Amino acid sequence: MTKIYGTGVYDFRRHRVAEYPVAGDALPLPEKPPESKPQSNVPSSITLSEIQRDRLTKIAAENWANTTDSGPKKPFSQDLVNEIYYTELTIKGGRKPVPLQRVMILEVSQYLENYLWPNFNPETASFEHVMSMILMVNEKFRENVAAWTCFYNQKDMFKAFLERVLRLKEGRSLTIAEKTNYLLFMINAFQSLEDEIVSERIMRLASLECWHSLSKGRFEMELCLNENMVKKWKRIAKRARDATKRGEAFDPTTTVEAIFLRNLIQEFLEVLDSEVFSCKPKNGEDDDLVDAHASEDVDDACVLYCERFMEFLIDLLSQLPTRRFIRPLVADVAVVSKCHLSALYRHEKGKLFAQLVDLLQYYERFEIDDHQGRQMTDDEVLQAHYKRLQAFQLLAFKKIPKLQELALANIGAINRRADLAKKLSILSPEEFRDLVCGKLKLVSKDDPCSERVDFLIEVMVSFFERYQSQKEAINALPLYPNEQIMWDESLVPSINYSGEGCLALPKLNLQFLTLHDYLLRNFNLFRLESTYEIREDIQEAVPHLLAYVNNEGETAFRGWSRMAVPIKEFKITEVKQPNIGEVKPSAVTAEVTFSISSYKAQIRSEWNALKEHDVLFLLSVRPSFEPLSTEEAEKATVPQKLGLQYVRGCEIIEIRDEEGTLMNDFTGRIKRDEWKPPKGDVRTVTIALDTAQYHMDVSDIAEKGADDVYSTFNILMRRKPKENNFKAILESIRDLMNETCIVPDWLHDIFLGYGNPSAAQWTNMPDLLEKVDFKDTLLDAAHVKESFPNYQVCFINSDGSENLNPCPPFRIVFPRNLENKVHALPANETSTKSLKEVSNMEDGHSDKPQLLVEAYIPPDPGPYPQDQPKQNSVRFTPTQVGAIISGIQPGLTMVVGPPGTGKTDTAVQILNVLYHNCPSQRTLIITHSNQALNDLFEKIMERDVPARYLLRLGQGEQELATELDFSRQGRVNAMLVRRLELLSEVERLARSLQLPEDVAYTCETAGYFWLLHVYSRWEQFLAACAENQDKLTFVQDRFPFKEFFSNTPKPIFTGESFEKDMRAAKGCFQHLKTMFQELEECRAFELLKSTVDRSNYLMTKQAKIVAMTCTHAALKRKDFLHLGFKYDNLLMEESAQILEIETFIPMLLQRQEDGYARLKRCILIGDHHQLPPVVKNMAFQKYSHMDQSLFTRFVRLGVPYIELNAQGRARPSLARLYNWRYKELGDLPYVRENPVFHRANAGFSYDYQLVDVPDYRGRGETAPSPWFYQNEGEAEYIVSIYMYMRLLGYPANKISILTTYNGQKLLIRDVINRRCVPYDFIGPPHKVTTVDKFQGQQNDFILLSLVRTRFVGHLRDVRRLVVAMSRARLGLYVFCRRSLFEQCYELQPTFQLLLKRPDHLALNLNEVTAFTERHVEDTGPVQLVSGQEEMATIVNYKMHQVYEARVMSHQLHQLSAYSGQNTMEVDASEENGIENAPTSNHAMDIDTLHDGKLGDAAHPDASSDGKDMLPDGNSNDAAHPDASADEDGEP
């Protein structure tokens, strides 16, 4: 029975696992690090040997560790907790709040789960005990693993723990490190609001009760502005009065809820004011003294605390539930103004702090109605500003004579900061204080800062100044990064971000304030992520040019770079006037000239391939005269090392060759037959510069006397086209910011994370389809009953009578009151329903609601074979049928598809049924990868959807493994060819009716022919038939188109009965009707003459199902809007692998109709238990949660989803390794019954095994460069196993080798090239790649290398484990260090299963071919392999056998040729262990093997001479591993 999940507690939270050394060291980690001390600055990746010999590990073994060799545990000791806290978990001095390495060791040993939490008592637990728990939770968040899981079993105790945490500071002074750790815990708690056990208590801190701590003036102001709050406040006051009446001592102003946040803010202000600097300048001292502070005067730990506090407030103000009541509190204390005036804000070490303060100010001023949660329009914001200033002017006019000039000034003269400050400066300090604190009540008189005039001015100006709107800000922002942003570590951190500090970046939370907030956060993150990638490209390309200063003192280059070329000439050619209302130019164009004479042909062709809209970068490099000394180089930034001065982006308008001829023109200016290859070596590119950046640069030159950036460029850099699409996506986001109401109303609140999560579920939507034709979805009557187990299925005929012998197809009538029923249909069952309820429903048949299923006879489609519709053969499970029902109804459908559960089949059937039930609607298909899109498309073609309605956009259509071309050009050509075919058929029809033949001249004349001659004859025929139904042969005799249909494969009419012949006649007419309908559709292609117009018409009008990748959708959004592209339904595959913004943009590729969005259905299909979108920079992934997909966010929000629950990929035993991660994942009958899944893997005792790999040549993992992990022992072992399998006869295309790191992938490829490729009967495997890259693919046999021997690393992300375990169908062999992975808490369910079998590879050496009849559960005679050396010996022995057999075969060939006798055939496969082709096919595959070529290769006759003694190495159809080389995004 289909279940909708999403209403219960979400069972996992954080997945992004820290995978880096935490210290800034980029050096490879030593095999044996020095003994760690609390303050030592060693890399924080820990070796296993260090963990095992560490003092903490010994204490853990004695007290709490669940290891196999640990004895009985000592009783709990509070003194031990205290001792560990003070000796291991506290740190003195320095910026870091904890000794990270010690915390990691304790967290890995499960200190929290096995010792601190089980022994926690809220009454007796010490401060040290609570702080230790806080540190362990913080470390789990830093590592991005589930932090709250261990608390679920004792929720009441957890509430008590949170109470202790909130009161932890009472009567105790904390060190700055403890304050920072405490604050970090609160940040993590407020980031976990979807967790009920956390949010229930934590949210009370952000409730209305915190207004008890507001100043009287601010409190009155807030109640006046929000009248709805008055009632709520009265209720709070009433509870206090009632408590007093009962005699309870209850003071609402002293509760934790009332004072907690105010106290935290006050504590922060004290630290900021008095602890950041050891000798802080007094008030009134010159600001220049602040800058004179030496860096050692700054307390780094206090700076980190201040930065973390800014992050805390930003988090609170950027989520509506916490923002509502906390923003007045932040404004009351004037946190932003005090931060602006602080010494740290202007200090060089306070750069990150200053950026965070600006971000806080942005959120404090955010354009939203806090209490209604409504986005304010630009006009509303402006009117509110005017209203505020007008009220102030009125007050000044009445009460403050000195401000007469201000009171009478126009708005434009006082709404800027400088003007307002100048006009206010005439007031005395006392008058000023009275105005701000007394009359306006912006801050309290009790505030110590209210004595400072500069503070009062800052408060006033901040409150009354007009600030830039969000739209203005994003429109004024350059789309290309410049050198200032590019190397700012607080905005674009380097890859070794550890998670210890915070960054000036927005976060992608569960909820967003408004759509503008959502777009702006994504805009900034996407811009900075692309900046990081551009920075990496610059750092790679520029050094190769070898810049130096020549004798003339100018920059010259003695090297060359593939991606960068020296500029010969640069000149700005045009600067257009600004548009009305703007200050930046409307366009700036320039010309760049460069030479490609020094390049080889391949690289020349890459530069010549540049085309319109490609993005280039202009660089200015000025190297120093003297090379930097070693000491200077260590301190120098990257730009200083490279001599890089400026970076500016630009977009190509056109490119010309040496003779000025236009190259790569796609606008039609150059006709195809006039195209000539480019001449010469000099190229001139006309480029469009970023107008916003140009305006900023020119303003700096005019106002500040800055350098003229545009006269200094000397390098032009390009990037790989696939990685260079950021500008189009940023433009799309910016365009969306400038549009109004863009998301459908039914999706708006859910999208932002508010309201009822199930509001967009189909049962809650209007305009449901009451009767759905399921076509070929349901295969027979039994399938219908299986699909609706909770319904009493009643089969009826079209006239309503009961049908006793129902046959497909079926129409299902959904009851009108469906949405009001709790358990109405499978797709409406929620996870809150108990198993008992389900069983009761199944037992009591009388209680089952009735479901009317109409079995109908479809009309005859026509007499020709091509008329017959394609039929589905998949027997969908009840859950899949529930997903199909949900998908064809309006609203939001979420389908979670575990590995092998038929996500694609379900998606295709949704499209098929949707097309037949809503033929006028258009559907857009989006996927993450071209491969997934092609898989989906190939399956759609196997359904009954006409090919003329399918269209595939983007670069991947050429990869489609189909005969038809589904690109725009291919479809246009197909329509034109089809037009000619149809017109010739019309001509034949006219001849058969003995009419003039020119009726088939055009589609238009054919249309008239249809009306005048064909349809009229049919109507006459029907009228005659109505009067002669008693004549059996009447139809046969009088059918008007009998001659036209004389070429059918079978006779149309039998003359046996009138009804049968009439049905056949209607089928023939249906054929004619379809033919003329197609001609009518071809008519537009006849009228439109240009290819562009035809392809645009096809995309916007003709195609019913349009498919593209999310990247193509983002790139071409502007074009889609311009062409008027429309669609009603959106289906998104792989949606858990797509970035939030790349999921959002495809929803908005069309303009609104009358103010409403046209989108009716949104179907998201994905799996949040598998890997998320790839984000290359760890900081954006870890700090900003940029790898959060919209699909995963919806699941976390509790949006109902359907989880497919039967897999058909792997053996049931293999599926158990990962199905624990899913709620009810079972197996299809196919994998339980098919003989292939019952047979053992020949040569192996087990179908899956964990193989423990010890050190090889004294080494485990190595890192030749940072994050480039390799393990030679595992690489050699895995390749030996692969060779063993090939020697037994396993096809190479059925074996894939996976690993978790790029370094190991390259090492394995090297070993294969050395050991396998030279032997053509072995060759390379199907693929050697990383787990991340193999997501979405599968193979029969997977050899998996986990690489790490020191620390678990990023496999600790359970999603990566699920992907790794679910790629194999028949055999999985995991090579790793057992002692490391068996202790990992997150991986326990899988590794406990793996370790039930021996950890030495178990082989069955009696089997010498790849086929065996042995049952999978029968191990046979077991030989345990001791290690890589023994495995190599086994392989060498088998190789020797092969060699001897081949030599003997070769000698026999020579002998037979010499004697003139027939060649003697020797079956070498029995001697050397290589199977022949039929055995290969029979052995191991359900699908067809690649033509059985392995067997051909293995046969001795395949060898033509004795030179190699072995067959051609390509005989196994497997590519060289380098052919599938990829650039992986993961470490």
Side-chain angles (χ1 to χ4, degrees), residues 288-358:
D288 293 339
L289 291 176
V290 174
D291 300 327
H293 275 293
S295 58
E296 58 265 18
D297 290 337
V298 179
D299 186 332
D300 288 336
C302 291
V303 174
L304 176 63
Y305 171 78
C306 293
E307 291 166 354
R308 281 291 189 193
F309 196 83
M310 286 297 100
E311 179 192 352
F312 176 60
L313 289 184
I314 289 165
D315 282 356
L316 292 179
L317 295 191
S318 61
Q319 295 186 102
L320 196 58
T322 51
R323 173 190 178 84
R324 280 196 172 105
F325 303 116
I326 290 174
R327 195 186 65 80
L329 196 60
V330 173
D332 187 36
V333 188
V335 173
V336 173
S337 297
K338 288 173 182 173
C339 290
H340 275 147
L341 296 172
S342 68
L344 181 60
Y345 186 81
R346 289 160 291 172
H347 194 277
E348 61 177 1
K349 284 204 169 183
K351 185 179 179 184
L352 172 57
F353 173 74
Q355 290 169 332
L356 288 163
V357 171
D358 294 342

Side-chain angles (χ1 to χ4, degrees), residues 131-178:
M131 276 305 296
S132 298
M133 291 176 70
I134 285 173
L135 291 179
M136 292 302 107
V137 170
N138 289 349
E139 174 58 16
K140 285 185 180 293
F141 270 90
R142 195 192 70 81
E143 290 278 10
N144 280 319
V145 294
W148 309 111
T149 312
C150 67
F151 301 116
Y152 284 162
N153 55 358
Q154 296 185 62
K155 292 184 180 179
D156 291 336
M157 186 66 78
F158 182 68
K159 288 179 187 173
F161 165 66
L162 286 180
E163 288 294 338
R164 275 299 309 270
V165 170
L166 298 180
R167 297 182 180 276
L168 194 62
K169 294 185 178 182
E170 291 178 2
R172 186 180 180 102
S173 176
L174 274 62
T175 65
I176 194 68
E178 287 172 337

Side-chain angles (χ1 to χ4, degrees), residues 273 338 433 443 446-456:
D273 194 49
K338 288 173 182 173
R433 185 165 184 252
V443 290
D446 300 331
D447 194 312
C449 289
S450 63
E451 305 288 340
R452 292 174 56 182
V453 174
D454 59 344
F455 169 72
L456 296 173

Side-chain angles (χ1 to χ4, degrees), residues 705-719:
D707 291 346
D708 179 6
V709 176
Y710 298 92
S711 64
T712 65
F713 295 133
N714 49 17
I715 295 175
L716 183 69
M717 191 189 89
R718 64 187 174 91
R719 299 179 68 221

Side-chain angles (χ1 to χ4, degrees), residues 1355-1383:
L1355 191 71
R1356 204 172 168 190
D1357 184 338
V1358 179
R1359 296 174 300 182
R1360 187 167 278 105
L1361 177 80
V1362 168
V1363 174
M1365 294 296 124
S1366 59
R1367 300 305 98 197
R1369 294 176 62 241
L1370 301 174
L1372 172 68
Y1373 301 94
V1374 182
F1375 298 80
C1376 68
R1377 184 65 57 87
R1378 171 182 177 159
S1379 52
L1380 174 66
F1381 287 91
E1382 72 176 333
Q1383 295 303 322

Side-chain angles (χ1 to χ4, degrees), residues 111 118 136 464 488 496 589 738 844 867 882 1095 1145 1267 1382 1474 1524:
Y111 184 41
M136 292 302 107
F464 287 111
D488 185 342
N496 61 350
T589 54
N738 290 294
D867 292 332
S1095 62
I1145 291 174
W1267 304 281
E1382 72 176 333
I1474 299 182
S1524 61

Side-chain angles (χ1 to χ4, degrees), residues 532-548:
Y532 166 74
E533 293 174 20
I534 294 163
R535 183 178 80 183
E536 295 294 299
D537 289 345
I538 291 174
Q539 290 173 186
E540 187 177 338
V542 172
H544 292 294
L545 287 167
L546 302 176
Y548 70 100

